[in-house]
């Protein structure tokens, strides 16, 4: 009988982990302060508050989860209290005023008088405690702090940066160069693959890396079909490919919390067996790329920081500083490639201080031991999982992938729209990670044996068309995360770079051969995909806001509705969609089906992103529709025809050839249908590794 009478009136997330403070506030309220207009009795309880009138019985429940506080008001009678709707509105607004969202200030610390653990312990106690148990934890925590500080400064400066510009139009005389190169790539993670590719094509390439080359702050996962691209293009041999696979497992589970969702917004597990089911041996992959770069005559400048680039008519000169010796040197190059990710000041300057407008703060680590038997089967991964609703303006999402031996790589991340007041915090997310990990994956933190920490900012941009985001300027080109042309839905920069590596390499080679290195020409050398540009509405619709008027379950409801539709679709089409190969028909059908399944979704998305943002998306969708039509009409025959015309076109009209080649790739790669037109020449059998 009680179950029939019970009715949920209000569900709120109160953005504070201090549940005792909320409980005390409730207990201090009176009928007058709560705005009740009918005689009532208030009873304080250990879980909240009871409101009893002659005809109605309301209960206020409190509970804590995901390092925040949640509240529900339930009606346990068949009659509402007098003026109930008005009272609920007053109660909600008063409560939100009493507990507003306040982003945690970023601490300015002094490491001359203490180590990083002691300095951060007052602000992030669990992070400071458990990083001490992680190998190389002190250096990694310092790097995480440095990265967040640099990111915050970048966001804070906005379109009018106060720091010195990294790109300078050089007036003669420019600094005298210590060495000369065809290409200098700054950023040794994603940049290593491009460096090896271009060196194998015969270009003199230098790679500048701020830390020790071959060390990664994140792990990489990918599928075998995507990884096979590195063999198809000739960068790796089949044996080398197998050597960079740390673990290939059987299946993946995707599931989203639905405990508070309406019945229509609940779905079963979505199985994605061939998506991100290969854990990479990142160190081995970077080692191979480094060896191939050095064997081809390149050089790696590790522990070296990029400071400035001086643009000249026929070259660009880089000023770099060795962090171990503090010695400054100058590298002259025909082309500078920026692969610095979110740390890229170059990308910010090129785009007027607004290179990125969204980001996925991503943190976690690799655990090699400490979970009890039966907690997890190493044959399975968990790419997307939520175990609660929005928390302090974020929908926290877990990822877990098996690794080599018994390793488990665990991530926590969220989709976030950048603002100066709330740029997104790695350290705050680490504190949530250590707080909530035992609840997510049954464990005792003190028993876990760590292999490494993992962290980073994965940037994105809501591109309306191929011209909306500048990939570079004269003699400077951004790639990878610095170009923020990865998937706006799944934010996999590594997968995006690997999938588009043949395309970008071919276009870059064409630009260098024709000496087409102006900003306009280099704008054609990019990994833009029309089908991905249209998906930014998905990620934008999953970015919660503090003090939102939407219910805390709304993002989980959207995820359940969309993935519920995907679970009914053919597995190969779902596979393509999640691997950035989704076509126009599949995407349109999925959106319509999700809207039918959960009619509130369009209204929630419009409230979350605003009518202006929704109207911005419509032209992007129409552009994708046009691109899909052009691909249907021309992609089956035109790219092959253009390849046969390459020699006369490249010889007599090099700029026209670059434009046609770029368009050809837009017809194929640009809508998720890659066609390989580039293969590296065989490596010399007697190639040796050069000294760096």
């Amino acid at each position: 009988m009680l179950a029939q009478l019970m009715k949920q009136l209000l569900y709120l997330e109160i953005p504070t982990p201090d549940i005792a403070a909320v409980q005390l506030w409730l207990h201090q309220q009176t009928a007058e302060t709560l705005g009740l207009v009918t005689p009532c009795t208030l009873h304080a309880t250990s879980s909240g508050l009871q409101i009893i009138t002659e005809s109605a019985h309301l209960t206020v429940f409190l509970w804590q989860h995901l390092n925040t506080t949640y509240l529900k008001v339930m009606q346990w009678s068949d009659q509402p209290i007098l003026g109930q709707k008005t009272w609920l509105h007053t109660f909600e607004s008063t409560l939100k005023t009493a507990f507003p969202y306040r982003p945690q200030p970023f601490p300015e610390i002094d490491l001359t008088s203490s180590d990083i653990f002691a300095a951060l312990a007052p602000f992030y106690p669990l992070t400071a405690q458990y990083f001490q148990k992680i190998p190389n934890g002190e250096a990694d925590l310092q790097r995480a702090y440095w990265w967040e500080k640099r990111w915050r400064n970048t966001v804070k400066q906005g379109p009018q940066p106060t720091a010195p510009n990294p790109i300078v139009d050089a007036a003669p005389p420019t600094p005298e160069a210590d060495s000369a190169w065809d290409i200098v790539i700054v950023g040794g993670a994603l940049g290593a693959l491009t460096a090896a590719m271009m060196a194998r094509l015969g270009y003199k390439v230098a790679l500048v890396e701020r830390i020790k080359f071959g060390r990664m702050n994140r792990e990489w996962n990918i599928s075998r079909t995507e990884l096979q691209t590195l063999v198809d293009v000739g960068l790796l041999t089949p044996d080398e490919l197998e050597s960079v696979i740390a673990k290939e497992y059987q299946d993946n589970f995707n599931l989203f919390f639905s405990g508070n969702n309406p019945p229509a917004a609940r779905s079963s597990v979505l199985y994605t067996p061939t998506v991100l089911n290969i854990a990479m041996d990142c160190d081995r992959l970077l080692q191979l790329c480094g060896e191939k770069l050095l064997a081809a005559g390149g050089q790696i400048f590790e522990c070296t920081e990029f400071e400035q680039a001086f643009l000249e008519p026929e070259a660009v000169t880089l000023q770099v500083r060795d962090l171990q010796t503090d010695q400054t040197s100058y590298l002259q190059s025909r082309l500078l490639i920026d692969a610095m990710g979110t740390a890229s000041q170059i990308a910010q300057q090129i785009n007027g201080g607004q290179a990125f407008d969204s980001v996925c703060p991503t943190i976690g680590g690799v655990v090699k031991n400490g979970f009890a038997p039966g907690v997890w089967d190493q044959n399975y991964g968990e790419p997307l999982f939520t175990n609660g609703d929005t928390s302090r303006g974020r929908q926290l999402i877990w990822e877990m992938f098996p690794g080599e031996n018994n390793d488990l790589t665990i991530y926590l991340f969220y989709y976030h729209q950048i603002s100066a007041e709330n740029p997104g915090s790695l350290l705050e997310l680490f504190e949530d990670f250590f707080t909530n990990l035992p609840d997510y994956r049954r464990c005792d933190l003190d028993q876990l044996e760590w292999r490494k920490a993992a962290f980073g900012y994965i940037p994105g941009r809501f591109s309306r068309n191929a011209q909306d985001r500048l990939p570079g300027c004269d003699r400077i080109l951004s790639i990878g995360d610095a170009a923020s042309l990865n998937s706006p839905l799944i934010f996999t920069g590594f997968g995006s770079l690997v999938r588009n590596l043949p395309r970008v390499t071919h276009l870059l080679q064409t630009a260098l051969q024709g000496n087409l290195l102006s900003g306009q020409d280099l704008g054609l050398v990019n990994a833009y995909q029309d089908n991905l540009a249209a998906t930014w509405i998905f990620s934008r619709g999953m970015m919660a806001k503090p003090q939102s008027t939407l219910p805390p379950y709304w993002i989980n409801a959207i995820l359940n509705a969309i993935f519920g539709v995907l679970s009914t679709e053919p597995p190969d089409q779902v596979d393509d969609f999640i691997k950035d190969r989704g076509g126009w028909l599949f995407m349109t059908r999925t959106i319509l089906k999700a809207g039918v399944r959960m009619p509130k979704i369009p209204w929630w998305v419009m409230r979350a992103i605003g009518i202006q943002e929704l109207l911005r998306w419509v032209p992007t969708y129409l552009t994708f529709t046009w691109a899909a039509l052009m691909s249907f009409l021309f992609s089956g025959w035109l790219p092959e025809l253009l390849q046969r015309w390459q020699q006369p076109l490249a010889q007599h009209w090099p700029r026209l050839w670059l434009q046609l080649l770029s368009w050809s790739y837009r017809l194929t790669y640009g809508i998720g249908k890659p066609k390989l037109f580039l293969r590296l020449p065989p490596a010399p059998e007697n190639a040796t590794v050069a000294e760096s």
Side-chain angles (χ1 to χ4, degrees):
M1 184 64 180
L2 282 176
Q4 294 176 346
L5 296 176
M6 183 176 64
K7 179 181 180 182
Q8 180 178 301
L9 303 179
L10 184 65
Y11 175 33
L12 294 175
E13 187 257 322
I14 307 170
T16 176
D18 191 355
I19 188 173
V22 183
Q23 188 178 44
L24 178 62
W25 181 86
L26 281 175
H27 292 175
Q28 290 174 341
Q29 302 310 301
T30 65
E32 290 74 16
T33 59
L34 288 176
L36 294 166
V37 296
T38 185
C40 65
T41 303
L42 304 182
H43 288 304
T45 68
S46 59
S47 61
L49 187 69
Q50 288 186 344
I51 304 171
I52 302 173
T53 70
E54 289 184 358
S55 60
H57 181 182
L58 305 184
T59 300
V60 181
F61 289 104
L62 289 177
W63 73 97
Q64 188 178 48
H65 187 45
L66 296 177
N67 222 10
T68 191
T69 302
Y70 296 91
L71 176 146
K72 280 187 177 182
V73 179
M74 308 295 295
Q75 178 180 311
W76 292 83
S77 57
D78 57 356
Q79 295 295 323
I81 64 173
L82 183 64
Q84 182 169 281
K85 186 174 182 180
T86 302
W87 172 76
L88 284 172
H89 178 75
T90 303
F91 177 74
E92 179 179 356
S93 60
T94 304
L95 185 59
K96 288 184 175 181
T97 301
F99 296 95
Y101 173 75
R102 292 189 179 93
Q104 184 170 346
F106 185 69
E108 295 293 338
I109 60 176
D110 180 10
L111 296 183
T112 60
S113 56
S114 66
D115 61 29
I116 188 72
F117 304 123
L120 290 182
F123 311 99
Y124 311 103
L126 293 180
T127 303
Q129 176 184 347
Y130 288 106
F131 257 85
Q132 296 181 62
K133 299 177 180 291
I134 300 175
N136 204 46
E138 183 173 11
D140 281 344
L141 187 54
Q142 286 179 349
R143 179 159 175 78
Y145 177 85
W146 169 86
W147 204 339
E148 178 170 340
K149 183 175 183 178
R150 185 162 182 169
W151 172 248
R152 284 176 174 271
N153 288 338
T154 298
V155 174
K156 184 178 180 180
Q157 289 169 13
Q160 297 179 336
T162 57
N165 284 330
I167 305 171
V168 179
D169 287 326
T174 55
E176 183 177 351
D178 298 291
S179 56
W181 307 89
D182 292 315
I183 305 170
V184 175
I185 300 177
V186 183
L190 293 178
L193 279 79
T194 300
M197 288 284 290
M198 299 310 297
R200 286 285 313 281
L201 285 170
Y203 294 96
K204 192 177 179 183
V205 181
L207 185 65
V208 177
E209 173 62 302
R210 189 180 186 276
I211 59 176
K212 193 79 173 175
F213 177 74
R215 287 199 60 236
M216 284 289 299
N217 293 319
R218 295 202 309 265
E219 297 297 289
W220 286 336
N221 276 70
I222 199 169
S223 70
R224 182 170 284 275
T225 53
E226 294 167 311
L227 194 59
Q228 181 64 29
T229 302
L230 301 181
V231 174
D232 295 340
V233 81
L235 181 61
L236 298 183
T237 66
D239 289 341
E240 288 172 336
L241 179 73
E242 296 303 320
S243 75
V244 302
I245 296 176
K247 180 83 171 183
E248 185 171 11
Y249 44 92
Q250 181 177 334
D251 206 343
N252 282 308
F253 306 139
N254 302 269
L255 186 64
F256 305 102
F257 183 71
S258 59
N260 299 301
N261 290 7
R266 298 178 182 179
S267 65
S268 57
V269 174
L270 175 68
Y271 298 92
T272 53
T274 58
V275 174
L276 301 177
N277 66 311
I278 286 182
M280 298 293 298
D281 184 340
C282 302
D283 295 345
R284 172 61 178 158
L285 177 61
L286 293 180
Q287 176 192 355
L288 282 172
C289 290
E291 290 174 356
K292 294 175 185 291
L293 169 62
L294 296 173
Q299 188 169 346
I300 299 173
F301 295 86
E302 60 183 18
C303 300
T304 300
E305 184 165 36
F306 163 80
E307 293 186 331
Q308 277 191 315
F310 302 93
L311 275 179
E312 308 163 60
E314 300 299 325
V316 56
T317 301
L318 284 74
Q319 176 181 309
V320 298
R321 180 168 57 88
D322 189 312
L323 297 177
Q324 296 176 321
T325 65
D326 203 38
Q327 180 179 352
T328 298
S329 56
Y330 297 91
L331 313 177
Q332 189 180 76
S333 178
R334 292 177 61 197
L335 177 68
L336 163 61
I337 294 182
D338 167 25
M340 292 186 285
T342 52
S344 172
Q345 296 173 320
I346 290 177
Q348 290 293 93
Q349 181 182 346
I350 290 173
N351 287 273
Q354 295 178 323
F356 321 114
D357 49 23
S358 63
V359 72
C360 266
T362 304
I363 60 87
V366 181
V367 181
K368 65 178 181 179
N369 203 2
F371 288 104
V375 166
W376 193 255
D377 188 328
Q378 288 289 115
N379 292 310
Y380 301 94
E382 197 168 55
L384 296 170
F385 180 87
T386 63
N387 63 335
D389 293 327
T390 55
S391 165
R392 307 200 307 280
R394 307 158 305 162
Q395 177 61 66
L396 299 179
I397 303 174
W398 296 91
E399 283 184 303
M400 185 169 64
F401 301 114
E404 192 173 10
N405 301 320
N406 291 319
D407 287 359
L408 279 178
T409 299
I410 304 175
Y411 291 118
L412 184 63
F413 72 93
Y414 61 96
Y415 298 96
H416 183 64
Q417 187 175 9
I418 298 167
S419 68
E421 300 76 23
N422 188 11
S425 172
L426 296 179
L427 297 176
E428 185 178 0
L429 192 56
F430 261 121
E431 195 70 10
D432 288 321
F433 176 81
F434 290 115
T435 300
N436 298 308
L437 181 57
D439 179 65
Y440 162 62
R441 191 55 59 206
R442 302 184 307 274
C443 66
D444 181 346
L445 288 177
D446 294 323
Q447 299 300 316
L448 297 183
E449 185 179 356
W450 298 88
R451 189 177 298 280
K452 64 182 291 188
F455 52 89
Y457 287 105
I458 306 176
R461 182 178 174 90
F462 305 136
S463 298
R464 289 171 291 179
N465 51 58
Q467 291 74 43
D468 187 46
R469 166 68 159 86
L470 299 177
C473 62
D474 292 354
R475 298 193 177 274
I476 296 176
L477 176 69
S478 296
I479 64 169
D481 287 345
S484 67
L485 286 173
N486 48 301
S487 167
L489 179 59
I490 55 177
F491 278 72
T492 50
F494 173 64
S496 176
L497 185 135
V498 169
R499 284 190 292 273
N500 287 281
L501 190 62
R503 171 193 189 182
V504 172
T505 302
H506 195 184
L507 291 169
L508 185 55
Q509 179 193 34
T510 303
L512 286 164
Q513 287 175 337
N515 200 31
L516 304 172
L517 301 178
S518 68
Q520 182 178 2
D521 292 325
L522 291 175
L524 301 171
V525 183
N526 64 63
Y528 181 82
Q529 293 183 224
D530 289 285
N531 63 328
L532 293 190
T535 65
W536 70 251
I537 194 170
F538 291 112
S539 60
R540 184 68 175 80
M542 289 188 287
M543 295 180 183
K545 292 181 180 179
Q547 302 293 80
S548 172
T549 58
L550 290 166
Y553 63 77
W554 72 279
I555 292 179
N556 275 319
I558 290 176
L559 289 168
N560 272 279
I562 292 175
F563 277 70
V565 171
L566 292 178
S567 66
T568 66
E569 296 290 335
D572 58 332
Q573 295 185 28
V574 175
D575 187 85
D576 283 343
F577 177 71
I578 300 180
K579 290 178 182 175
D580 298 345
R581 296 185 178 187
W584 179 88
L585 181 60
F586 182 86
M587 186 181 302
T588 303
R589 186 172 71 235
T590 300
I591 293 173
L592 292 175
K593 282 186 174 182
V596 170
R597 178 172 181 162
M598 188 66 192
K600 288 185 178 180
I601 286 180
W603 171 240
W604 284 346
V605 171
M606 188 173 69
R607 286 174 63 188
I609 71 176
I611 187 64
Q612 289 184 338
E613 290 294 300
L614 186 62
L615 293 176
R616 277 184 60 196
W617 175 77
V618 173
T620 304
Y621 176 77
L622 294 176
T623 299
F624 173 38
T625 303
W626 176 253
L629 177 61
M630 292 295 100
S631 177
F632 175 77
L633 295 174
F634 297 108
S635 65
W637 58 273
L638 185 59
E640 288 84 354
L641 181 63
L642 289 176
Q643 293 299 318
R644 291 199 291 268
W645 291 349
Q646 174 178 351
Q647 186 172 354
L649 286 171
Q651 181 178 355
H652 299 291
W653 304 283
R655 179 167 282 108
L656 175 62
W657 167 239
L658 177 62
Q659 293 169 342
L660 290 173
L661 184 63
S662 179
W663 182 52
S664 172
Y665 276 121
R666 283 283 298 278
L667 295 174
T668 54
Y669 278 81
I671 63 164
K673 297 180 179 179
K675 285 189 178 182
L676 189 68
F677 293 114
L678 172 75
R679 183 172 175 84
L680 297 177
E685 294 183 2
N686 59 348
T688 58
V689 176
E691 293 294 330
S692 61

